[in-house]
Amino acid sequence: MKSSKTILLNLIIFLASFFVLSHISGKVFANPENNYSIGKIDKKKMAMEVKEAFIHAWSGYKKYAWGHDILKPNTKTYYDWYGVSLCMTPVDAFDTMTLMGLKKQSAEAKKLIFSKLSFNQDVYVKNFEITIRMLGGLLSSYELDGDKRFLTLAKDLADRLLPAFNSKTGMPYQFVNLKTGNVKGSVTNPAEVGSLLIEFGTLSKLTGNPVYYNKAKNALVQLYNRRSKIGLVGAEINVETGNWVSDESYIGGGIDSYYEYLLKSWKLFGDLDCKRMWDSSIVAINKYLADSTSTGFWYGQADMNSGKRVSTYFGSLDAFFGAELALSGDIHRAEMLQKSCFKMWNLYGIEPEEINYDSMIVISPEYVQRPENIESAYYLYRLTNNPKYLQMAVTYFKSIMKYCKTDDGFTGLKSVITKEKDDEMQSFFLAETLKYLYLFFAPPKVLDFNRIIFNTEAHPMKRF
Ligand code: DMJ
């Protein structure tokens, strides 16, 4: 008979080797689907840590990019999208700092915006990007801060963007010159045509002038009316002829926020046309684009006319869809999709831009600080109260701190496999990624989720 000493020793050796093995061969023991520990989370401490990350990002911007669009944190310089500055980072980030209660930073940003920002520039800007980041940012800043100068800037900007809608179909050209009103870019995509109503509509409500609402709503309807017989839209459309240029259909980048704005414009304005358009679109999406495979529940690519599957790609942009499913009341699909998105995030410890969900092989390895995976977990947390989504938020935040933090701000990654850094701090990193992370941990009174609708750049608009 073995002595009790020997048994104890064997037990210790067994436990020790299990512990060592499970750490060395992470691939064998780690289950990427469950890569969050269930335990008590100190929300106050986490909120503080996210706030400190924001301050770190803002300090980098102040040091090397003050007055410009975005920071390039590794080369310690700046980048202006159109050669002249539109103060993109401060405008995009202002509501986040307000929600975080960062009074000093808010005062600095306001001073900069009101002394430097002028839209009277002879440059062609992308109507969609400038609408969601700048117009959206100015409007939510006005609603949160109350300073009328934000609204004045918003109106000035929207008036300069309006000529974009002067196409034969009423769908906007891609580019508009802010000074001359000239337009260019007749081939565009559903996201750029259909993601304008939250901002233009809010401006109409705030100014009492319906022109903004009507132009953006018409563009949305024109696009919807061109859906295929089976209810799907393609990837590219010509705004002069109204003909599709690409028949590929999916929910990701280039189409994504068109669907988002159908749903959210109904919720924000109570617009029943938008509800009807969302209701019929989601049926087609779930019929032809949704895909349940051995690796999880996903949405892939199909031909807009036949519904035939053309590829099985999914990426960081597609991850926004869980938020829409949850907001529309389909918690079941939203939860299944989020499980897949979290798995994608954990493949390499931070999510790649795109994978093939059939093989789980990475197609595009970069991480450009995108918020969508985090955003969908945030909606699910707010709508289900399930603490596992809070645990996910901890994982997301830790990954970003570990891989993207630099001495003077945060960057994206050229590859999530090698973890090689790129050299851009996206304005949406401050507007969206850090905002959603903060809102997970902040007291709910900071922002009443049920009384606002976020635009696609996470700028909260008060529901009408
Ligand atoms: C943001 O500008 C918006 O969220 C947009 O809808 C998609 N691209 C980025 C974030 O990934």
Side-chain angles (χ1 to χ4, degrees):
M1 224 176 106
K2 284 186 183 170
S3 73
S4 51
K5 246 188 181 173
T6 325
I7 292 174
L8 191 67
L9 195 66
N10 282 344
L11 188 68
I12 290 170
I13 291 170
F14 171 75
L15 286 175
S17 40
F18 181 80
F19 180 79
V20 169
L21 256 179
S22 64
H23 277 75
I24 294 172
S25 41
K27 277 198 181 118
V28 179
F29 290 95
N31 177 358
E33 279 173 41
N34 299 320
N35 196 10
Y36 49 80
S37 60
I38 301 290
K40 186 126 182 60
I41 292 167
D42 186 341
K43 283 194 183 182
K44 211 170 160 190
K45 185 166 162 275
M46 284 303 300
M48 192 50 76
E49 283 182 30
V50 180
K51 230 192 233 194
E52 276 162 13
F54 182 94
I55 294 171
H56 180 72
W58 181 249
S59 305
Y61 171 79
K62 256 176 78 178
K63 203 162 159 192
Y64 296 111
W66 191 240
H68 293 278
D69 280 348
I70 63 162
L71 168 71
K72 289 168 79 68
N74 288 332
T75 45
K76 301 188 191 304
T77 181
Y78 59 82
Y79 174 70
D80 290 319
W81 276 32
Y82 303 109
V84 296
S85 170
L86 295 176
C87 293
M88 190 177 283
T89 291
V91 171
D92 224 2
F94 184 82
D95 58 12
T96 307
M97 51 182 93
T98 306
L99 292 170
M100 287 179 171
L102 297 173
K103 296 213 162 48
K104 180 175 157 276
Q105 289 76 2
S106 307
E108 289 164 359
K110 264 175 94 162
K111 203 169 162 202
L112 174 65
I113 291 167
F114 296 136
S115 63
K116 172 150 178 130
L117 179 55
S118 162
F119 294 121
N120 192 25
Q121 312 274 5
D122 191 3
V123 286
Y124 281 88
V125 300
K126 222 175 200 201
N127 184 42
F128 162 77
E129 294 288 358
I130 295 304
T131 297
I132 64 167
R133 295 175 196 230
M134 305 286 300
L135 186 55
L138 290 167
L139 290 167
S140 66
S141 299
Y142 170 65
E143 289 195 338
L144 280 171
D145 180 82
D147 193 320
K148 281 229 163 78
R149 288 176 292 177
F150 284 120
L151 185 59
T152 307
L153 278 170
K155 189 178 168 313
D156 178 41
L157 174 59
D159 288 337
R160 293 170 187 277
L161 296 175
L162 275 183
F165 294 95
N166 295 342
S167 70
K168 278 189 198 132
T169 61
M171 292 190 283
Y173 289 92
Q174 254 191 325
F175 294 93
V176 55
N177 186 301
L178 287 178
K179 194 175 195 135
T180 64
N182 290 340
V183 292
K184 63 180 187 184
S186 50
V187 174
T188 179
N189 60 54
E192 299 196 7
V193 171
S195 318
L196 308 163
L197 185 51
I198 291 181
E199 300 80 3
F200 279 79
T202 297
L203 184 62
S204 277
K205 302 282 175 190
L206 292 173
T207 58
N209 182 350
V211 68
Y212 311 107
Y213 194 103
N214 293 342
K215 295 263 187 197
K217 167 102 181 263
N218 177 51
L220 196 56
V221 172
Q222 290 295 329
L223 182 68
Y224 174 77
N225 286 346
R226 286 171 171 82
R227 71 198 182 284
S228 69
K229 285 203 178 89
I230 60 169
L232 295 175
V233 295
E236 284 182 305
I237 192 161
N238 185 316
V239 300
E240 283 169 353
T241 63
N243 294 334
W244 290 103
V245 177
S246 159
D247 291 343
E248 193 177 338
S249 194
Y250 46 82
I251 59 155
I255 299 183
D256 46 7
S257 44
Y258 156 60
Y259 289 128
E260 181 180 351
Y261 276 38
L262 289 179
L263 172 68
K264 289 184 170 176
S265 298
W266 158 38
K267 301 271 178 193
L268 178 61
F269 305 117
D271 189 316
L272 293 178
D273 293 333
C274 293
K275 176 182 178 344
R276 277 186 286 274
M277 292 189 282
W278 163 262
D279 284 346
S280 83
S281 300
I282 189 64
V283 173
I285 293 170
N286 281 329
K287 186 164 176 191
Y288 298 107
L289 304 181
D291 203 359
S292 287
T293 71
S294 60
T295 59
F297 177 68
W298 310 91
Y299 286 83
Q301 293 70 32
D303 181 282
M304 69 179 277
N305 297 306
S306 65
K308 198 169 166 279
R309 169 95 37 231
V310 291
S311 47
T312 53
Y313 296 154
F314 188 93
S316 55
L317 284 166
D318 303 74
F320 86 106
F321 205 59
E324 315 319 314
L325 290 167
L327 188 63
S328 73
D330 189 350
I331 298 289
H332 177 61
R333 281 196 184 82
E335 294 214 276
M336 288 197 298
L337 186 62
Q338 195 54 31
K339 192 174 171 193
S340 304
C341 290
F342 195 55
K343 189 173 179 177
M344 175 173 75
W345 185 281
N346 286 318
L347 272 178
Y348 289 94
I350 189 160
E351 75 178 350
E353 183 69 354
E354 192 161 62
I355 60 168
N356 182 333
Y357 59 74
D358 229 12
S359 57
M360 295 304 281
I361 285 173
V362 172
I363 305 292
S364 306
E366 66 275 15
Y367 172 65
V368 290
Q369 306 182 313
R370 293 201 192 280
E372 288 79 1
N373 206 324
I374 302 167
E375 172 184 354
S376 289
Y378 169 69
Y379 276 67
L380 276 165
Y381 180 54
R382 280 281 164 262
L383 293 168
T384 65
N385 249 325
N386 189 329
K388 79 175 174 193
Y389 296 113
L390 199 62
Q391 296 281 356
M392 280 188 189
V394 174
T395 302
Y396 296 134
F397 182 62
K398 284 190 175 158
S399 310
I400 289 170
M401 292 302 284
K402 184 167 175 192
Y403 299 122
C404 302
K405 192 172 178 197
T406 70
D407 291 346
D408 296 287
F410 291 83
T411 68
L413 301 175
K414 284 184 184 162
S415 164
V416 298
I417 301 167
T418 63
K419 308 290 188 299
E420 187 190 350
K421 291 186 166 74
D422 71 17
D423 188 22
E424 283 194 5
M425 186 169 78
Q426 307 289 342
S427 69
F428 58 69
F429 180 69
L430 291 89
E432 299 193 70
T433 312
L434 290 178
K435 183 185 286 139
Y436 288 124
L437 284 168
Y438 178 69
L439 290 174
F440 265 106
F441 306 111
K445 68 169 193 294
V446 164
L447 189 70
D448 187 345
F449 182 77
N450 296 313
R451 299 182 73 172
I452 56 97
I453 287 293
F454 292 103
N455 83 338
T456 193
E457 189 80 0
H459 295 305
M461 307 286 168
K462 285 186 190 152
R463 290 197 191 207
F464 290 95

